[in-house]
Amino acid sequence: MRTDVLGVAFDNVTIDEAVDRALALLEEEGPHLVVTPNPEIVQRAEKDPEFAGILAQADLVLPDGVGVIYAAKILGRPLRARVPGIDFAAALLARIAGTGTRLFLLGAAPGVAELAAVNLRAAYPGLVVCGFHDGYFKEDRPVADAIREARADLVFVCLGAPKQEKWIAANGAAAGARLYVGLGGSLDVFAGKVERAPESFQRLGLEWLYRLLKQPSRIGRMAKLPLFLVSAVGARIRKK
């Protein structure tokens, strides 16, 4: 049973449970979709019915942002754990390395996916990265064809929300993979182009603060988090 947080229903799972479910989906005929909404994505879905519908139909909906966790508590239906998309991806790669599962990387600027592939192969011995493509394409079909020709089982789609989820919904079946995971800017991290917050920030759920300190231009986006929590308070009051 899923937990509704301001219109998006999340799976109430730990990261290990999420990986177990993803592995089970890889054993089934696809396409299957994993999404990792944070507060900004939840807010966007509220204004985009098509996007909201895709999230609702996803096979696994993981609470990426600490704001989602706070909002769930405010609403009186707490989630068991925050499951950041990049941590989920890393845990999944650790489990599939050496199994023959074929991974395709899609997104980011030209050259980034290739570098991410090199780093991931080094970090997870036995990992099969069967192909990659940057996110700067104009036509969907050649990309879907490339994924199918690579015989990919798993695709990390890093085009940013909602573009990545809409791309998967429109092209996942044609591309032929069993599991697609929407992962935003994760390829930049895997490639070493963007530094993650120190573990101390991660443990405290303050990665957003670290990113703001590194990129003050994000202040406009970060300012939406308090509004998101205010919305949760309002929803709790209306329910009462």
Side-chain angles (χ1 to χ4, degrees):
M1 185 174 179
R2 287 180 168 176
T3 299
D4 184 278
V5 179
L6 298 178
V8 173
F10 289 86
D11 287 284
N12 193 4
V13 293
T14 65
I15 191 167
D16 289 336
E17 290 169 346
V19 171
D20 286 341
R21 290 196 189 183
L23 292 172
L25 292 172
L26 279 166
E27 295 298 319
E28 303 173 4
E29 291 300 318
H32 301 291
L33 170 61
V34 179
V35 295
T36 58
N38 57 22
E40 188 175 1
I41 290 175
V42 174
Q43 290 171 319
R44 184 181 290 270
E46 185 179 10
K47 300 176 182 178
D48 186 339
E50 178 191 359
F51 184 36
I54 293 171
L55 296 181
Q57 293 299 314
D59 297 272
L60 195 54
V61 183
L62 305 178
D64 182 277
V66 68
V68 174
I69 301 299
Y70 289 158
K73 289 181 180 178
I74 291 170
L75 291 165
R77 35 182 182 266
L79 293 163
R80 293 161 61 201
R82 182 170 69 99
V83 185
I86 194 166
D87 291 339
F88 163 78
L92 179 58
L93 294 180
R95 295 280 294 275
I96 67 170
T99 67
T101 299
R102 300 172 66 82
L103 170 68
F104 194 101
L105 305 176
L106 172 59
V112 173
E114 291 94 324
L115 182 54
V118 171
N119 291 346
L120 290 175
R121 290 186 183 114
Y124 304 97
L127 179 67
V128 179
V129 181
C130 63
F132 38 76
H133 196 291
D134 65 68
Y136 289 72
F137 55 88
K138 294 182 179 180
E139 296 183 10
D140 292 345
R141 188 54 186 263
V143 179
D145 288 346
I147 294 171
R148 178 173 287 278
E149 290 169 6
R151 296 182 291 113
D153 302 301
L154 169 65
V155 185
F156 286 172
V157 185
C158 303
L159 304 174
K163 181 179 180 180
Q164 60 197 18
E165 289 80 13
K166 291 183 178 182
W167 190 92
I168 295 165
N171 300 282
R178 296 189 176 195
L179 184 63
Y180 298 84
V181 186
L183 287 172
S186 296
L187 285 184
D188 289 310
V189 178
F190 289 140
K193 297 290 187 179
V194 173
E195 182 183 2
R196 280 200 76 185
E199 288 190 14
S200 57
F201 281 78
Q202 294 179 39
R203 286 195 301 270
L204 294 171
L206 295 175
E207 287 184 271
W208 62 271
L209 177 58
Y210 183 81
R211 289 195 296 270
L212 180 59
L213 293 173
K214 287 285 189 177
Q215 296 177 279
S217 61
R218 296 173 62 95
I219 186 65
R221 293 175 61 184
M222 297 302 180
K224 295 179 180 179
L225 178 57
L227 297 176
F228 180 74
L229 299 180
V230 168
S231 296
V233 172
R236 179 67 180 266
I237 291 172
R238 287 192 297 273
K239 183 180 178 181
K240 289 183 175 180

